[in-house]
Amino acid sequence: MPDAAAGPSDGSGTATRSASAPPPSERATRRRLTVEIWIVLGLSLGQSAVYAVVALVAKLTAGKPLASQTATLNPSVSPRPYLDLTYQLLGIGFALVPVALALYLLSANGRSAFRRIGLDVTRPWRDLGIGVGLAALIGIPGLGLYALARAIGISVQVQASALNAAWWTVPVLILAAVQNALLEEVVVVGYLMERLRELRWSAPAVVVTSALLRGSYHLYQGFGAFLGNAVMGLVFAEYYRRKRRVMPLVVAHSIMDMVVFIGYALIPAHIREALHLS
């Protein structure tokens, strides 16, 4: 009885094996990676960047100064508290799907995407310390830049949280801050920079591209937000280029957003007025 594993016969009794498919060419691999990047960004922050540009154009053509307009973060979507909570949690959960997709794509060939981009807890105290330092380095000057942008009229007034008061408001704002941090740092830093490196982009081009993308999806807040977030993007991208760890960036971003979302309401009104925050 012929060996089934040997493959089909060629008619002369000699078994032949089908030739294995040739490996894809470098050009095909690069094209596939490029398409993959566009798909991931189109499902996540690239889409947000397009909407932000349209929103900025709408504000600039609204017939009133940019400084007199408002951008609201974390709005309530229902006057019914538990329905609003449901919507908030669903929004946070679905916003993390692109993060899961990016990690899945980076884990090809059995590689751990978490270890690859440093999204792990192998150095918790070091990552926490670096994250706090980065948050202070970026957050404190960022507040001054926002106040300056408001004063010269190139930024809208940002209402950091418009959630209705409920027992779950603060926990949801904390979850929203962590969700923002994971989405931005995993997709815009970890995923995008790894893929651009595979496409053999130069280091400066990779860092600048990541930073410009970060700034672009904040354009709905005005030109000041674009500039501030682009600078933040340069710092974060350069840190990742040198250390290949996303976790400190997630910590820093989470801290900054928590301070903005939760701490905003705790700032006395006269201070907010002095800083052009309200």
Side-chain angles (χ1 to χ4, degrees):
M1 183 175 179
D3 184 358
S9 172
D10 63 0
S12 62
T14 304
T16 60
R17 296 181 182 272
S18 59
S20 59
S25 65
E26 181 178 350
R27 181 178 179 182
T29 299
R30 290 172 62 87
R31 182 168 59 246
R32 182 178 180 84
L33 285 178
T34 301
V35 171
E36 179 193 292
I37 291 171
W38 282 112
I39 291 173
V40 171
L41 294 183
L43 292 171
S44 57
L45 294 166
Q47 178 186 142
S48 299
V50 173
Y51 277 113
V53 171
V54 174
L56 178 62
V57 172
K59 287 180 171 65
L60 292 174
T61 56
K64 55 183 179 179
L66 195 63
S68 66
Q69 301 183 56
T70 302
T72 302
L73 310 180
N74 305 303
S76 287
V77 294
S78 173
R80 299 159 60 185
Y82 283 95
L83 186 58
D84 195 13
L85 173 60
T86 301
Y87 280 127
Q88 298 296 334
L89 294 178
L90 287 175
I92 292 169
F94 282 117
L96 291 175
V97 172
V99 176
L101 175 61
L103 292 172
Y104 176 77
L105 293 170
L106 288 176
S107 65
N109 302 320
R111 301 175 65 183
S112 169
F114 293 93
R115 288 196 296 271
R116 180 176 180 180
I117 66 174
L119 186 66
D120 54 44
V121 291
T122 56
R123 307 187 318 184
W125 296 113
R126 181 178 177 85
D127 288 343
L128 178 61
I130 294 173
V132 171
L134 286 172
L137 176 67
I138 299 296
I140 296 174
L143 181 62
L145 178 61
Y146 173 73
L148 175 62
R150 291 281 296 138
I152 63 179
I154 61 172
S155 179
V156 303
Q157 177 183 326
V158 178
Q159 186 174 1
S161 174
L163 282 180
N164 296 326
W167 64 265
W168 48 262
T169 300
V170 170
V172 163
L173 289 175
I174 292 173
L175 289 176
V178 174
Q179 171 252 298
N180 287 343
L182 285 170
L183 179 61
E184 295 189 39
E185 307 314 327
V186 170
V187 173
V188 177
V189 177
Y191 169 80
L192 182 60
M193 291 184 67
E194 287 296 312
R195 285 304 193 229
L196 294 182
R197 286 179 65 254
E198 291 179 46
L199 290 174
R200 298 184 181 178
W201 284 34
S202 67
V206 171
V207 170
V208 170
T209 298
S210 176
L212 289 178
L213 175 58
R214 188 188 296 267
S216 66
Y217 54 77
H218 288 92
L219 273 169
Y220 70 95
Q221 299 176 16
F223 297 106
F226 170 82
L227 177 60
N229 281 279
V231 171
M232 171 180 170
L234 288 174
V235 174
F236 278 25
E238 180 61 17
Y239 176 86
Y240 181 79
R241 187 186 72 82
R242 293 172 179 269
K243 303 297 185 180
R244 302 291 293 278
R245 285 196 64 79
V246 156
M247 184 58 79
L249 308 182
V250 171
V251 171
H253 196 144
S254 298
I255 292 172
M256 287 187 288
D257 277 8
M258 287 178 197
V259 169
V260 171
F261 295 167
I262 301 170
Y264 177 85
L266 302 179
I267 300 175
H270 68 282
I271 296 180
R272 291 205 305 267
E273 287 289 342
L275 295 174
H276 301 280
L277 297 177
S278 60

